Amino acid sequence: SDAGATASDDTDGNVTSSIATTNPVNTAVAGTYAVTYNVNDAASNAAVQVVRTVIVDPWNFNNSKQGWSGKAGASVAAGATYATLTLTGPGKNFPNFDSSTSANINTAAGKYVAITLKNNSANTKYAMAVMVGTSPKFAATLINQSTSDADFKTVYFDMKTATAAANWTGTIQQVRFRPTKVDGSTGVAAGTIFIDKIAVVPVKDTTAPTVSAVSIASNNASSTVAGVGNVVTLTMTANE
């Protein structure tokens, strides 16, 4: 059982004690794990399986390249809160940003690979592949991506598409990110892409944050009044 898991049935009531949990997490080994929860009622009706993703040593690139490396016209450097992927370009080279060969990703954790990045280059096409040995099996590519980004954004690759689909199964050990210009004949444009985070997730995050509370106060004797030289503080609370 799991201390955070509960289950109830319209006839049997509380069936938490019947939950069957499969927890393969090894906190000593970096990777993406899937913890599964299943439960049946007294009539053997099965609930929809619940999957919880647990990431040990996540790819957040804080002062570390997290085992990722650049190849074929790409290099990577660690930064305080993100990694910098430098693309040599121009030319017919196709740069690769590869995870280590021991990524230990349980694909049951989700079908999307999410990359939070800031594109400072003119490259507008992103590809993500499952590595089968030395052979990349790519998911559907993302085209018409923004350039010279003002801030970080998250892009999602559906790994159950294109040639990646048949290989996104079980536990995989390496993935590859490849940015290029849309016209493959010119390969890659020179520039940099900041990589903030890479994660395997079950769904896309499409919920925008909302401002739930706004307050204004000043350091005037009356906090609701401001005069010349007073400091006015605006406080906003956002939820997602």
Side-chain angles (χ1 to χ4, degrees):
S1 64
D2 188 307
T6 61
S8 62
D9 180 73
D10 59 353
T11 299
D12 300 335
N14 190 327
V15 291
T16 298
S17 61
S18 298
I19 296 175
T21 304
T22 301
N23 186 349
V25 177
N26 182 348
T27 57
V29 178
T32 300
Y33 298 87
V35 180
T36 60
Y37 304 87
N38 293 279
V39 65
N40 291 357
D41 63 13
S44 297
N45 298 307
V48 175
Q49 183 184 74
V50 173
V51 179
R52 179 162 62 96
T53 300
V54 177
I55 302 175
V56 177
D57 192 18
W59 290 327
N60 54 23
F61 301 100
N62 292 339
N63 296 303
S64 172
K65 293 186 284 187
Q66 303 279 167
W68 287 71
S69 60
K71 300 175 182 176
S75 60
V76 61
T81 59
Y82 57 80
T84 299
L85 180 64
T86 299
L87 310 169
T88 304
K92 294 184 178 180
N93 55 320
F94 293 91
N96 297 320
F97 184 45
D98 291 353
S99 74
S100 72
T101 55
S102 56
N104 193 31
I105 300 170
N106 185 334
T107 56
K111 71 170 187 172
Y112 295 102
V113 174
I115 302 185
T116 302
L117 53 75
K118 182 175 180 288
N119 183 14
N120 310 302
S121 72
N123 296 291
T124 60
K125 178 180 178 180
Y126 300 149
M128 177 64 68
V130 179
M131 297 301 295
V132 179
T134 59
S135 177
K137 306 298 181 182
F138 284 99
T141 55
L142 305 180
I143 61 174
N144 300 322
Q145 297 299 300
S146 60
T147 60
S148 302
D149 294 332
D151 204 350
F152 284 90
K153 66 177 184 180
T154 301
V155 297
Y156 295 87
F157 297 89
D158 186 344
M159 304 307 290
K160 297 300 288 185
T161 59
T163 58
N167 298 281
W168 192 254
T169 183
T171 298
I172 62 174
Q173 297 299 342
Q174 188 176 32
V175 290
R176 167 175 289 176
F177 173 59
R178 176 183 289 173
T180 57
K181 294 181 72 174
V182 171
D183 182 353
S185 67
T186 57
V188 64
T192 62
I193 298 177
F194 297 157
I195 308 292
D196 178 66
K197 182 180 180 181
I198 301 177
V200 174
V201 296
V203 296
K204 295 180 180 180
D205 181 1
T206 59
T207 304
T210 58
V211 177
S212 59
V214 178
S215 63
I216 301 176
S218 77
N219 63 349
N220 190 283
S222 173
S223 63
T224 59
V225 176
V228 176
N230 290 150
V231 176
V232 177
T233 302
L234 173 65
T235 302
M236 294 181 289
T237 302
N239 297 294
E240 183 178 19

